Amino acid sequence: MPFIQTDAAVNPGNSGGPLFDANGSVVGINAQIYSNSGGFQGVSFAIPINLAVQVKDQIVKTGKVAHARLGVEVQPLNQSLAESFKLKTPNGALVAKVTPDSAAEKAGIKVGDVILKFNGAPVLDAGQLSQRVGVMTPGDKASLDIWRDGKSLSLTATIGNAAVMAAADDASGDSAPARLGLALRP
C-alpha cells in the first residue's frame, strides 16, 4: 500500500485522524507512527485520501473491501541488470517470482521479464508496480508492456483477488507462517 510519510506531530492512538495540507485540505488518514520515544516525535504514515475514498466506495457498494493482486514478486532494476537485459535505462520492475495459478501466470508473465508499463503508464521502479496494482479491483483487466529476451511484448492480465490467492498459498503450504503476521525480504 502506498503511504504518505510525514513528520507532522501524530500521537500514538490518533490513527484514523485526518492529515491536512497547507491549504487545509484533507490529503490522508493517519495510520501509524514510528517513534523511538513512544510520543509524537518520529515519522508518521498516512493512507492517501484517494485510496481511502476508493476503499469507502467499495464498502458502500459491496459491503467489503477486495484487494487486488497480480501474483509476482519484483525487484528493483539497477543499471548493470538493465544492461544485461539490453535495456538502455534501469526503469521497470524485474520479475523475480511468479505465483502459480495467479493473474500473472495466466497472463504469461515469466521470471526474468521486466515490466515496463502497467495500463499504459511507465513503471519507473518496482514499488510503482505494487502501488498501481493495489488501487485496482479484482477482476479488472490490466495491460502490461513486458521486456523479454531483448524484445518488447504486450500482455493482458485479469487482476486477481489477494484474499483468494493468500488462502490458496496457505492451503498449499508454500508460505511459512509468519510469527508477527507479516513476511519480509531484503
Side-chain angles (χ1 to χ4, degrees), residues 51-71:
L51 182 57
V53 168
Q54 181 180 355
V55 168
K56 183 262 313 172
D57 290 344
Q58 275 191 32
I59 292 170
V60 168
K61 184 177 179 182
T62 66
K64 62 183 189 239
V65 178
H67 298 283
R69 184 171 174 196
L70 183 58

Side-chain angles (χ1 to χ4, degrees), residues 177-184:
R179 291 179 53 197
L180 296 175
L182 59 115
L184 305 172

Side-chain angles (χ1 to χ4, degrees), residues 51 59 80 120 144 146 162 167 169 185:
L51 182 57
I59 292 170
S80 62
L144 296 110
I146 306 292
D169 286 349
R185 66 182 178 99

Side-chain angles (χ1 to χ4, degrees), residues 113-137:
D113 286 350
V114 179
I115 300 173
L116 300 173
K117 288 186 179 180
F118 185 82
N119 278 341
V123 175
L124 301 178
D125 60 49
Q128 276 190 340
L129 179 65
S130 297
Q131 291 174 1
R132 292 193 181 134
V133 171
V135 297
M136 297 193 74
T137 303

Side-chain angles (χ1 to χ4, degrees), residues 3-56:
F3 284 102
I4 298 170
Q5 180 179 330
T6 178
D7 61 355
V10 177
N11 287 308
N14 281 359
S15 295
L19 177 67
F20 295 99
D21 66 9
N23 296 322
S25 299
V26 176
V27 295
I29 298 174
N30 296 319
Q32 54 189 302
I33 185 170
Y34 175 76
S35 172
N36 288 329
S37 69
F40 67 86
Q41 305 91 344
V43 179
S44 301
F45 299 93
I47 299 166
I49 197 64
N50 59 339
L51 182 57
V53 168
Q54 181 180 355
V55 168
K56 183 262 313 172

